Amino acid sequence: MTVIGLGYLGATSAIAFAKMGHQVLGIDPDQAKVRALQSGSIPFFEPGLDNALSEVKSNGKIRFASSHDDESRKANVHFLCVGTPQSKVGLSADTSYLFTAVDELLPYLAKDSVIAGKSTVPVGTADLLIEHIRNIKGFLPHLSWNPEFLQEGRALEDSLYPNRIVIGSSDRHSTWTLRQLYRNQIEEGIPVVETDLRTAELVKVAANAFLATKISFINLMAEVAEVAGADTAELAKAIGYDDRIGSKFLRNGIGYGGGCLPKDLRSFVARSRELGLEDSVGLLEQVEAINSRRRNRPVEIAKEYFGSLVGKEVLILGASFKPDTDDIRDSPSLEVAELFVGEGAVVTVHDPMSLPKVSATYPTLRTQPDLETAFRNKEVVVLGTEWGQYKQLDPASVSISSRPGLIIDGRNALDVAAWKQAGWAFMALGNGFHQVEEKSQSSQAVA
Ligand code: UDX
């Protein structure tokens, strides 16, 4: 098979397919990326992937190239894994990389080979690709849509042991070919949903929109709890025991980010509008509005506590969009950091993995790789990404080097009692009790 596009999705899928025993040619026009993969290094951080790459390289199951070659002609399946970023104008997804990838593939496409899309696309894209290919080649291609649900930080495991396999196809040959490819997983009992192309395209956006909605729902409860004086984390625990609701994706905080959820939700809104469904997108617009409102909350809390933030020394703990990745795309933490900068604060960011990326893209933010130094003289500390090392941090040890100030837990992950005991004023998002209690202390201090 060929795997076209070696970003997060493509590189992981290529390595996973090779581990499953298939013969894989990974293709990406970015020569630096290809060279890195050829030499055995992964151009991003993902646990376990480097070991898996060296294993499949040493048993000759994988090869990387910057363009198609004769091997491509022999492939039974060509996986499209190129990016579909948000368009520079508007909310919709830019599918142009997909069409370019197909154009480059067509001279090598055998008539009975299957093209299988994994990229997340607006519903109807596969139909456009079929038409495009038919116009150029003069025959109807075998096309499948086979969405991928991998989560960063556990991408290899999710690819090897997915909780479902979705195969949307234009024809029976395509479905049969993909079923053969996933034969071992299917025999192990992983459920398969065989469907049409459009449903398969929609499954992926629907899954991401549902997850985003779940997070925004609990963040809406957080807004209520803060005003009413209740604790969202306990509320989430209580409703999560109902297995119709489930406890996952109910952590309130500064909201969801990353390369998928925000972009896919916006593209879904744009596509629904194109389909004339203006009324239906209201729910999704609210999901996004709640998500971006929660980013403002740490700044609001700090302003309620201190008054002005001009010149205040602020530390943001965590820069990646979630722990255990160096991915800073649409990172909630960095958006919070920039909001503090907008208030005139002096902002330092700490992160175990992604600081080089932060320095390269956020010139207004200072970075400090040493955690104890980062804490020095900080008046406001915000937990933006719940890396394990922050959860395990002993507040007494950092309080020695820094005068205890205000700590805002943007992810409900810290030990409240320990931080308070070390002298810090502590507020967690979605916890009305902390906010009322600390606010009254700050007004006493001001008085
Ligand atoms: C997501 C989907 O989970 C995955 O199925 C899809 O293939 C790609 O998009 P990923 O981007 O790796 O995966 O991140 P995910 O683990 O879903 O987290 C997304 C964001 O939501 C993160 O910023 C995370 O911090 C936030 N989140 C998650 C919450 O704010 N609360 C939660 O309860 C869970």
Side-chain angles (χ1 to χ4, degrees), residues 1 12-24 52 55-56 59 61-62 79 118 146 148 156-162 165 178-186 188 190:
M1 66 173 69
T12 310
S13 302
I15 294 167
F17 282 133
K19 242 181 113 58
M20 284 155 64
H22 301 300
Q23 197 65 44
V24 180
E55 181 193 317
V56 292
N59 61 22
K61 287 288 177 196
I62 202 162
F79 277 101
K118 273 198 178 293
N146 172 222
E148 182 59 61
L156 186 62
E157 200 189 328
D158 281 349
S159 302
L160 293 172
Y161 311 102
I165 296 168
L178 287 203
R179 279 195 83 103
Q180 287 296 106
L181 199 120
Y182 290 113
R183 195 176 46 220
N184 289 344
Q185 279 122 317
I186 296 171
E188 278 166 24
I190 292 172

Side-chain angles (χ1 to χ4, degrees), residues 149-152 249-251 256-257 260 321-322 411:
F149 305 97
L150 59 85
Q151 263 179 287
E152 293 188 19
F249 272 68
L250 276 186
R251 276 177 291 112
Y256 61 80
C260 292
F321 82 98
K322 67 176 192 179
R411 293 290 179 186

Side-chain angles (χ1 to χ4, degrees), residues 34-115:
V34 167
R35 271 196 303 272
L37 287 161
Q38 267 165 349
S39 70
S41 86
I42 308 282
F44 49 84
F45 173 73
E46 181 60 42
L49 210 52
D50 43 0
N51 287 342
L53 175 59
S54 57
E55 181 193 317
V56 292
K57 258 170 60 74
S58 63
N59 61 22
K61 287 288 177 196
I62 202 162
R63 191 166 70 81
F64 300 100
S66 56
S67 57
H68 289 276
D69 55 36
D70 273 346
E71 287 294 309
S72 302
R73 295 185 208 281
K74 299 182 202 151
N76 307 102
V77 187
H78 302 277
F79 277 101
L80 302 174
C81 296
V82 297
T84 50
Q86 189 175 335
S87 132
K88 288 192 177 67
V89 284
L91 301 180
S92 60
D94 174 2
T95 55
S96 60
Y97 297 109
L98 216 48
F99 284 83
T100 309
V102 164
D103 286 343
E104 286 167 1
L105 165 66
L106 287 185
Y108 300 85
L109 181 70
K111 214 170 172 181
D112 60 351
S113 300
V114 175
I115 302 178

Side-chain angles (χ1 to χ4, degrees), residues 8-9 120 148-154 158 164 204 207-208 211-212 214-215 218-219 247-262 264 291 295 320-323 325 327 329-332 384-386 410-411:
Y8 217 103
L9 167 67
T120 306
E148 182 59 61
F149 305 97
L150 59 85
Q151 263 179 287
E152 293 188 19
R154 39 174 299 161
D158 281 349
R164 76 288 209 190
K204 176 62 199 259
N208 278 353
L211 293 172
K214 207 170 173 192
I215 298 170
I218 201 67
N219 280 331
S247 59
K248 290 184 181 157
F249 272 68
L250 276 186
R251 276 177 291 112
N252 86 93
I254 55 173
Y256 61 80
C260 292
L261 258 50
D264 291 351
N291 197 50
R295 308 277 209 271
S320 52
F321 82 98
K322 67 176 192 179
T325 172
D327 192 343
R329 285 176 295 170
D330 242 313
S331 163
T385 315
E386 67 280 28
R411 293 290 179 186

